Amino acid sequence: MSVLVASDLDRTLIYSAAALGLDMPDAEAPRLLCVEVYQGRPLSYLTETAAGLLAELVRTSVFVPTTTRTVEQYRRIRLPGPAPRFA
C-alpha cells in the first residue's frame, strides 16, 4: 500500500530569508539549504533537518507538493531527492 503525503510549500516547508524569522544568536540558527534561486540570488530555503526528513519521506511515500505559485515559480524550486511525479 502506498502512502500519499501532500504539503504546502511556502511558509510550511520552504521559507524566504524574511519569513525564517531567525531571531536567535547566529551560533544557534539552523543550517539552511537554498532550494530556490531567482535572478541569480538565493530566494527560498529549507532547514537541513527538514531536507533530510523530506528525502526520507520522498523515498517511502508519494510526495505531492501543493502551492498557489505559478508553474514558472514552482519550477524554480529544487527540493532534495527526485522531482515529485505530481504537484
Side-chain angles (χ1 to χ4, degrees):
M1 176 198 316
S2 292
V3 174
L4 175 70
V5 177
S7 175
D8 184 39
L9 293 176
D10 295 289
R11 292 184 171 238
T12 301
L13 191 58
I14 64 175
Y15 297 86
S16 67
L20 280 168
L22 297 177
D23 56 359
M24 72 283 293
D26 291 344
E28 296 174 16
R31 289 175 46 120
L32 301 173
L33 172 65
C34 179
V35 294
E36 180 182 15
V37 174
Y38 180 61
Q39 295 182 343
R41 295 194 171 129
L43 187 63
S44 297
Y45 303 88
L46 181 68
T47 66
E48 191 174 76
T49 300
L53 293 169
L54 180 60
E56 178 67 15
L57 185 71
V58 167
R59 192 179 65 73
T60 60
S61 66
V62 177
F63 175 68
V64 180
T66 60
T67 185
T68 58
R69 287 172 171 248
T70 65
V71 172
E72 179 182 335
Q73 291 169 327
Y74 172 72
R75 287 185 178 150
R76 291 193 306 247
I77 299 171
R78 298 288 179 256
L79 297 172
R85 292 182 293 180
F86 309 99

